[in-house]
Amino acid sequence: MSSEIYRSASRAARSLLFYASKHKHHVSSKGRTAAAAAAVSYKGTVPALASFTDSTNTFNRWIAGALALPAAAYMLQDQEAYALQMERTFIAIKPDGVQRGLISDIIERFERKGFKLVAIKLVVPSKTFAQKHYYDLKDRPFFNGLCNFLSSGPVLAMVWEGEGVITYGRKLIGATDPQKSEPGTIRGDLAIVVGRNIIHGSDGPETAKNEINLWFKPEELTNYTSNQEKWTYGVN
Ligand code: DAT
Ligand code: MG
């Protein structure tokens, strides 16, 4: 029964997060934790409500939602006004990964971890586009070959969302040189040389933001509640 309250608080917190993100507040995983905490602390502070929520009729749900909203808002105020959408990262399966039929294996690893897919498309980038993507490496000797390669065939561009997804996404991917990637990582398990290391992942919050903006239009990024979220996240 209290799970109904949790859900309502969670939903209320999420709509606040969504509202804030629409209004261009900065994104951080802290805010997400705050939202989860709001939902949980609300569950703990209004025990009387539990008896209302045995049944699932709309009125009870409305009550729970209406009461949960201020609780969530109050908790969120404590965070600086920035915190307000789950962290996102840009992940791309490069032409070698696509050609080798590794799309499903790679996606499965992100999905099973609990991360949420919010955008995906298969594109053949132009060389100019590849140069923009790898701009930071423009002075490296392999830059030209790298850009030729990235633009040589289909790339599966994706945005994944979740707490800590930027850093942990890099862990799932493994070291840049597959000779040094640990077994169990994507590059460790599925690639051999640095020039064909099959996958790209943003290396920090700033890069993630820039790369998502480069590869996707805002309307291509979905906002939805994953059915498993309430089991993937929680504070005890
Ligand atoms: P990562 O892809 O792990 O973020 P990076 O940003 O340093 O690594 O380099 C981008 C890509 O460039 C990398 O995935 C493969 C290629 N690359 C990096 N170092 C290289 C090297 N020494 N020789 C050839 N290609 C290299
Ligand atoms: Mg990089």
Side-chain angles (χ1 to χ4, degrees):
M1 49 186 173
S2 56
S3 68
E4 177 62 26
I5 303 175
Y6 176 88
R7 268 199 296 281
S8 301
S10 218
R11 245 180 261 125
R14 193 175 300 110
S15 33
L16 282 173
L17 300 182
F18 183 64
Y19 175 85
S21 74
K22 280 265 176 217
H23 290 75
K24 307 251 186 286
H25 288 282
H26 182 62
V27 171
S28 114
S29 62
K30 251 186 180 168
R32 185 61 204 198
T33 309
V40 170
S41 84
Y42 172 71
K43 180 177 73 174
T45 52
V46 194
L49 199 60
S51 59
F52 289 133
T53 54
D54 270 319
S55 86
T56 52
N57 72 53
T58 313
F59 181 65
N60 286 346
R61 261 184 270 155
W62 183 84
I63 295 264
L67 289 171
L69 188 62
Y74 176 76
M75 292 299 291
L76 288 170
Q77 274 171 7
D78 263 2
Q79 303 287 316
E80 295 160 55
Y82 61 104
L84 299 158
Q85 183 192 59
M86 259 229 249
E87 188 175 302
R88 289 178 168 184
T89 193
F90 174 70
I91 300 290
I93 304 181
K94 301 193 232 183
D96 46 348
V98 173
Q99 294 290 354
R100 290 178 52 204
L102 298 174
I103 289 174
S104 60
D105 187 318
I106 291 169
I107 287 183
E108 187 181 16
R109 292 168 189 237
F110 281 82
E111 262 191 329
R112 284 201 325 220
K113 171 75 175 164
F115 293 137
K116 183 168 86 177
L117 183 64
V118 296
I120 186 166
K121 63 181 173 187
L122 192 66
V123 287
V124 181
S126 66
K127 179 149 183 200
T128 312
F129 190 93
Q131 287 165 334
K132 275 190 203 157
H133 172 77
Y134 279 130
Y135 184 76
D136 288 348
L137 299 171
K138 63 182 185 315
D139 298 326
R140 305 296 292 274
F142 54 82
F143 179 68
N144 191 49
L146 179 64
C147 295
N148 282 338
F149 176 61
L150 191 73
S151 55
S152 69
V155 171
L156 191 74
M158 296 176 278
V159 177
W160 285 88
E161 185 180 288
E163 207 161 299
V165 70
I166 300 173
T167 300
Y168 209 91
R170 295 280 297 188
K171 280 193 189 171
L172 287 177
I173 288 171
T176 303
D177 180 354
Q179 294 288 333
K180 298 186 180 131
S181 315
E182 293 297 322
T185 64
I186 292 166
R187 286 167 174 165
D189 288 350
L190 306 172
I192 298 175
V193 299
V194 71
R196 297 291 182 271
N197 65 4
I198 69 172
I199 182 166
H200 168 86
S202 307
D203 63 8
E206 203 54 32
T207 327
K209 198 175 83 183
N210 294 340
E211 290 175 351
I212 291 168
N213 289 340
L214 176 65
W215 287 81
F216 288 96
K217 299 183 192 117
E219 62 270 25
E220 292 175 317
L221 303 168
T222 59
N223 285 290
Y224 66 99
T225 303
S226 159
N227 208 31
Q228 62 161 271
E229 229 161 85
K230 60 183 180 289
W231 297 107
T232 307
Y233 296 96
V235 181
N236 296 324

